[in-house]
Amino acid sequence: MSLAAMTWIFLGAAALLFTAALLLRRIPPRAVLPPVGGALAVVLLLTAVFDNLMIAAGLFDYGEHGLSGLRIGLAPVEDLGYAATAVLLVPAVYWLAGGPAERGAGVRATADGGRTSAAGTLAGLLATSRPLSWINTAYPFAAAYLLTAGRVDAAFVVGTLFFLVPYNLAMYGINDVFDHDSDLRNPRKGGVEGAVLEKARHRGVLWAAGLAGAPFVAVLLAWGTWVSALVLAGSLAAVYAYSAPGLRFKEVPGLDSATSSLHFVSPAVFGLALAGAEPTPQLGALLAAFFLWGMASHAFGAVQDVVPDREAGIASIATVCGARRTVRGAAAAYLLAGALMLTTAWPGPWAALLALPYVANVLPFVRIDDAGSAAAHAGWRRFLWLNYVTGFLVTLLLIAAWWGR
């Protein structure tokens, strides 16, 4: 099947799913088409720009096989089809998973809305996997593997898909099952920041979390080395240990932030190991900076939950250290991460500047007290979108690094 034909198939399927979501959720098209249209215009523009940059840098080239032959500069128009597919697919999946169609219209409810059908089960699994955060684990693996191996191959595709969905289903699914009681007390759970599934769904979520990733893990282990196998085993162990009974690393202050950071750093380390990267001091500094960023982000995220976590008897770095000290510690960790990036090779020092927006995001809360810790939720919401802006800028730096080889 040609790439052009696949593009039309995926785009058509996304359009059908988008239409189905509007009909099933009874969403007025006039309420959502303007923002979706605006997002489509921005994504198509960025796709055209970045495709041209990456093809010009030699990251990849489609040739002419299976293409329509139409191009925007160096980029085939088929890539715009995949971008449009994503723009239609993301809101459709979000609405079908129970997300509100209007800003500020969120409701406190279980992720599957009480449905017992297969559609309700899938919606619950989708919600618990946190689609908003999929890219945070898939991107580190993909970038590390691509820059090391210098090619897009089967291992790249399988690994990216694994860290995109099954890995997140395991990580957040285990968490949502064993944090169910405390999540019921948490007003921010029950939407894109965390599913609250009915207890009847819990066993199915755990089975799905294990089975969905098993084929990917088997293939990646077979294709890798003993080093990459150890890294993957450690990554999966951290996913389990964070929330599972008997371990519950998330309730050990300090270890909670370190383990959470490993959830995002370990995919990058695995990508490096799978592609055969050679360890260097500068690579170590880069990974250490990434690790500090992850710890700072988790610690700041824990601040908003100080009150519900204490009510549920859950210890965290924020409940033990207090909201104010935790915020200040997060700011310091962000600054240290930026300082470490200054020791890396070009264009790494430019990435040091990317720590500053995160510092600016937490500074308004340096005087926060425990009773008012819920106010940090505003900063956490900004953090979620700040990651996308940072990812955009990191991509520019990676292209520059590739181009400078």
Side-chain angles (χ1 to χ4, degrees), residues 17 27 77 84 89 115 137 188 205 232 246 272 291 320 360:
L17 191 64
I27 300 171
V77 295
L89 193 60
R115 290 171 285 178
T137 49
R188 72 184 182 90
V205 169
L232 184 58
L272 293 168
F291 183 75
V320 172

Side-chain angles (χ1 to χ4, degrees), residues 48-279:
V49 170
F50 277 100
D51 265 23
N52 275 279
L53 288 174
M54 288 187 287
I55 293 173
L59 287 174
F60 60 86
D61 189 8
Y62 291 99
E64 296 297 335
H65 178 69
L67 299 176
S68 65
L70 298 175
R71 289 179 178 262
I72 299 176
L74 299 174
V77 295
E78 284 77 9
D79 267 8
L80 299 184
Y82 283 111
T85 297
V87 172
L88 295 175
L89 193 60
V90 169
V93 168
Y94 175 68
W95 293 330
L96 291 173
E102 297 180 5
R103 186 174 182 178
V107 295
R108 178 73 172 164
T110 57
D112 58 12
R115 290 171 285 178
T116 57
S117 63
T121 299
L122 291 175
L125 292 175
L126 180 68
T128 203
S129 71
R130 311 284 206 283
L132 190 66
S133 298
W134 286 356
I135 193 66
N136 295 338
T137 49
Y139 187 94
F141 167 83
Y145 185 91
L146 182 61
L147 288 175
T148 303
R151 64 183 181 274
V152 174
D153 55 16
F156 172 88
V157 174
V158 172
T160 301
L161 289 176
F162 170 67
F163 285 109
L164 187 70
V165 184
Y167 181 83
N168 282 287
L169 178 59
M171 178 166 60
Y172 293 118
I174 295 171
N175 181 77
D176 287 348
V177 167
F178 295 112
D179 279 8
H180 179 265
D181 291 342
S182 62
D183 284 349
L184 288 174
R185 300 182 179 91
N186 193 329
R188 72 184 182 90
K189 295 300 177 73
V192 296
E193 295 184 52
V196 181
L197 297 170
E198 293 178 332
K199 287 191 173 183
R201 304 279 190 192
H202 287 183
R203 178 173 295 184
V205 169
L206 294 177
W207 275 104
L211 295 177
F216 294 89
V217 171
V219 170
L220 291 171
L221 289 175
W223 287 347
T225 64
W226 68 269
V227 175
S228 64
L230 285 177
V231 174
L232 184 58
S235 179
L236 296 176
V239 164
Y240 180 80
Y242 184 74
S243 302
L247 295 171
R248 297 286 290 178
F249 285 5
K250 69 175 296 175
E251 295 193 49
V252 182
L255 186 58
D256 56 349
S257 293
T259 308
S260 176
S261 184
L262 283 176
H263 294 160
F264 305 98
V265 178
S266 61
V269 178
F270 177 68
L272 293 168
L274 188 63
E278 293 292 332

Side-chain angles (χ1 to χ4, degrees), residues 274-290:
L274 188 63
E278 293 292 332
T280 65
Q282 289 188 340
L283 180 58
L286 188 153
L287 292 174
F290 190 10

